mmCIF file of all heavy atoms in Angstrom:
data_model
loop_
_atom_site.group_PDB
_atom_site.id
_atom_site.type_symbol
_atom_site.label_atom_id
_atom_site.label_comp_id
_atom_site.label_asym_id
_atom_site.label_seq_id
_atom_site.Cartn_x
_atom_site.Cartn_y
_atom_site.Cartn_z
ATOM 1 N N TRP T 288 29.423 114.903 -110.051
ATOM 2 C CA TRP T 288 29.933 113.996 -111.073
ATOM 3 C C TRP T 288 28.761 113.598 -111.962
ATOM 4 O O TRP T 288 27.949 112.810 -111.589
ATOM 5 C CB TRP T 288 30.544 112.759 -110.434
ATOM 6 C CG TRP T 288 31.341 111.876 -111.303
ATOM 7 C CD1 TRP T 288 31.430 111.946 -112.662
ATOM 8 C CD2 TRP T 288 32.103 110.739 -110.903
ATOM 9 N NE1 TRP T 288 32.261 110.996 -113.138
ATOM 10 C CE2 TRP T 288 32.710 110.238 -112.099
ATOM 11 C CE3 TRP T 288 32.420 110.165 -109.673
ATOM 12 C CZ2 TRP T 288 33.502 109.123 -112.086
ATOM 13 C CZ3 TRP T 288 33.213 109.053 -109.692
ATOM 14 C CH2 TRP T 288 33.803 108.527 -110.863
ATOM 15 N N ILE T 289 28.695 114.155 -113.141
ATOM 16 C CA ILE T 289 27.560 114.024 -114.046
ATOM 17 C C ILE T 289 27.783 113.133 -115.227
ATOM 18 O O ILE T 289 26.871 112.731 -115.905
ATOM 19 C CB ILE T 289 26.989 115.386 -114.518
ATOM 20 C CG1 ILE T 289 28.023 116.093 -115.321
ATOM 21 C CG2 ILE T 289 26.543 116.238 -113.310
ATOM 22 C CD1 ILE T 289 27.514 117.396 -115.993
ATOM 23 N N ALA T 290 29.091 112.842 -115.488
ATOM 24 C CA ALA T 290 29.335 112.030 -116.670
ATOM 25 C C ALA T 290 30.691 111.345 -116.576
ATOM 26 O O ALA T 290 31.547 111.788 -115.801
ATOM 27 C CB ALA T 290 29.292 112.903 -117.950
ATOM 28 N N TYR T 291 30.890 110.364 -117.440
ATOM 29 C CA TYR T 291 32.204 109.728 -117.610
ATOM 30 C C TYR T 291 32.429 109.565 -119.075
ATOM 31 O O TYR T 291 31.675 108.953 -119.725
ATOM 32 C CB TYR T 291 32.276 108.370 -116.863
ATOM 33 C CG TYR T 291 33.688 107.873 -116.777
ATOM 34 C CD1 TYR T 291 34.549 108.279 -115.723
ATOM 35 C CD2 TYR T 291 34.249 106.959 -117.699
ATOM 36 C CE1 TYR T 291 35.865 107.888 -115.628
ATOM 37 C CE2 TYR T 291 35.532 106.516 -117.624
ATOM 38 C CZ TYR T 291 36.349 106.939 -116.562
ATOM 39 O OH TYR T 291 37.660 106.530 -116.480
ATOM 40 N N PRO T 292 33.533 110.175 -119.587
ATOM 41 C CA PRO T 292 33.725 110.157 -121.051
ATOM 42 C C PRO T 292 33.870 108.769 -121.585
ATOM 43 O O PRO T 292 34.607 107.945 -121.077
ATOM 44 C CB PRO T 292 35.019 110.969 -121.215
ATOM 45 C CG PRO T 292 35.097 111.813 -119.934
ATOM 46 C CD PRO T 292 34.511 110.979 -118.845
ATOM 47 N N MET T 293 33.129 108.472 -122.680
ATOM 48 C CA MET T 293 33.272 107.201 -123.397
ATOM 49 C C MET T 293 34.402 107.317 -124.439
ATOM 50 O O MET T 293 35.036 106.300 -124.717
ATOM 51 C CB MET T 293 31.946 106.890 -124.080
ATOM 52 C CG MET T 293 30.829 106.547 -123.158
ATOM 53 S SD MET T 293 29.356 105.972 -124.044
ATOM 54 C CE MET T 293 29.918 104.446 -124.805
ATOM 55 N N THR T 294 34.625 108.433 -124.957
ATOM 56 C CA THR T 294 35.688 108.682 -125.958
ATOM 57 C C THR T 294 36.369 109.986 -125.638
ATOM 58 O O THR T 294 35.771 110.880 -125.027
ATOM 59 C CB THR T 294 35.101 108.707 -127.372
ATOM 60 O OG1 THR T 294 34.156 109.739 -127.472
ATOM 61 C CG2 THR T 294 34.449 107.375 -127.779
ATOM 62 N N GLN T 295 37.565 110.090 -126.083
ATOM 63 C CA GLN T 295 38.338 111.306 -125.938
ATOM 64 C C GLN T 295 39.042 111.635 -127.259
ATOM 65 O O GLN T 295 39.526 110.716 -127.952
ATOM 66 C CB GLN T 295 39.397 111.212 -124.812
ATOM 67 C CG GLN T 295 38.775 111.190 -123.409
ATOM 68 C CD GLN T 295 38.311 112.564 -122.989
ATOM 69 O OE1 GLN T 295 39.114 113.459 -122.704
ATOM 70 N NE2 GLN T 295 36.991 112.707 -122.909
ATOM 71 N N SER T 296 39.092 112.878 -127.533
ATOM 72 C CA SER T 296 39.807 113.344 -128.709
ATOM 73 C C SER T 296 41.033 114.094 -128.275
ATOM 74 O O SER T 296 41.006 114.864 -127.325
ATOM 75 C CB SER T 296 38.949 114.252 -129.630
ATOM 76 O OG SER T 296 37.816 113.516 -130.080
ATOM 77 N N ALA T 297 42.156 113.913 -128.992
ATOM 78 C CA ALA T 297 43.397 114.571 -128.656
ATOM 79 C C ALA T 297 43.676 115.613 -129.759
ATOM 80 O O ALA T 297 43.688 115.317 -130.928
ATOM 81 C CB ALA T 297 44.541 113.606 -128.567
ATOM 82 N N ASN T 298 43.908 116.811 -129.331
ATOM 83 C CA ASN T 298 44.319 117.851 -130.270
ATOM 84 C C ASN T 298 45.815 117.849 -130.384
ATOM 85 O O ASN T 298 46.540 117.998 -129.424
ATOM 86 C CB ASN T 298 43.814 119.224 -129.781
ATOM 87 C CG ASN T 298 42.291 119.340 -129.652
ATOM 88 O OD1 ASN T 298 41.601 118.790 -130.555
ATOM 89 N ND2 ASN T 298 41.806 119.978 -128.669
ATOM 90 N N VAL T 299 46.281 117.725 -131.607
ATOM 91 C CA VAL T 299 47.729 117.623 -131.865
ATOM 92 C C VAL T 299 48.131 118.636 -132.996
ATOM 93 O O VAL T 299 47.310 119.029 -133.819
ATOM 94 C CB VAL T 299 48.143 116.223 -132.242
ATOM 95 C CG1 VAL T 299 47.868 115.213 -131.120
ATOM 96 C CG2 VAL T 299 47.442 115.790 -133.553
ATOM 97 N N LEU T 300 49.365 118.991 -132.954
ATOM 98 C CA LEU T 300 49.965 119.863 -134.009
ATOM 99 C C LEU T 300 51.001 119.022 -134.748
ATOM 100 O O LEU T 300 51.939 118.511 -134.125
ATOM 101 C CB LEU T 300 50.573 121.114 -133.389
ATOM 102 C CG LEU T 300 51.324 122.052 -134.355
ATOM 103 C CD1 LEU T 300 50.353 122.626 -135.338
ATOM 104 C CD2 LEU T 300 52.032 123.150 -133.593
#
Side-chain angles (χ1 to χ4, degrees):
W288 191 351
I289 62 173
Y291 191 83
M293 292 186 63
T294 59
Q295 287 286 289
S296 298
N298 296 322
V299 296
L300 176 65

